[in-house]
Amino acid sequence: MTVALDWRSFAHYDVNTRKWEVLTGSYQIQAGTSSADIRLMQDSRVQGTVDALGYGEIPRWYIRPSGKPAVSDFEKLYGQAIKPFELEKPGEYTLLNTLNDMKENPVVQQIMEGIKGGILQNCGGDESSPEFIFTINIVFGTPLIRLVQQGGGMTPLAMMQAAVACANGDSAAAGQLAEMMGGGKRPVSG
């Protein structure tokens, strides 16, 4: 069996030149039943349209992938250090956070209990029902702005903004939230 590989088989789109380019170099052609079952390998030298991608020296893993790339390889390609992931802290929350992100705040806990009660009522009062578990995980794990956008008016933007403000330590927001929720009992501020 013969498989013909034309220049497009080796091409990438270069956003700087706004055209398809082929990087000059050695390529390893692999064939198998899947990426986990490679049965044939052949190195091939290709004369391309460019000699470099503009990244400086390309880390070895990106030339001949094997195993997992090191963070240092990715940083070299990216051109800067990768900051470790850190959860937001009070004072840093936004509408892109979820209720679960802010659940340590007493006001947010009250909001979550109210939402939980409404969902529980709609699910027939059974906390172990798959419908309840699924719904509660979706709602508590969805960014607040998405709840507003997809809530069909059931989740007012001002209410979610006040919840974020409470979670960020704004004590005046608890009063605003109480007014929005019908002037009932003032949420405990944290």
Side-chain angles (χ1 to χ4, degrees), residues 39 44 129 162 166:
R39 297 181 182 195
S44 179
S129 78
C166 285

Side-chain angles (χ1 to χ4, degrees), residues 90-183:
E92 300 174 352
Y93 296 122
T94 70
L95 289 172
L96 296 176
N97 286 100
T98 68
L99 290 169
N100 277 336
D101 293 338
M102 302 182 295
K103 68 183 174 189
E104 299 303 318
N105 181 275
V107 174
V108 174
Q109 290 171 6
Q110 289 179 355
I111 293 168
M112 291 174 79
E113 283 301 314
I115 292 171
K116 183 178 175 183
I119 293 171
L120 188 59
Q121 185 177 4
N122 288 337
C123 293
D126 182 6
E127 282 192 36
S128 63
S129 78
E131 179 184 9
F132 173 78
I133 294 168
F134 174 79
T135 305
I136 211 78
N137 283 315
I138 292 294
V139 171
F140 289 172
T142 298
L144 299 179
I145 192 66
R146 298 290 173 258
L147 291 177
V148 171
Q149 292 168 337
Q150 298 168 357
M154 297 293 292
T155 312
L157 175 61
M159 184 179 289
M160 291 298 102
Q161 289 170 326
V164 169
C166 285
N168 282 330
D170 180 351
S171 57
Q176 296 168 349
L177 200 52
E179 288 177 27
M180 284 182 242
M181 297 171 77

Side-chain angles (χ1 to χ4, degrees), residues 61-62 64-70 73:
W61 188 91
Y62 292 95
R64 192 152 327 251
S66 177
K68 294 182 180 179
D73 284 345

Side-chain angles (χ1 to χ4, degrees), residues 55 57 59 62 69-84:
Y55 297 118
E57 186 180 326
Y62 292 95
V71 172
S72 59
D73 284 345
F74 185 74
E75 288 176 335
K76 190 172 186 181
L77 190 65
Y78 188 54
Q80 60 184 331
I82 306 299
K83 295 178 191 173

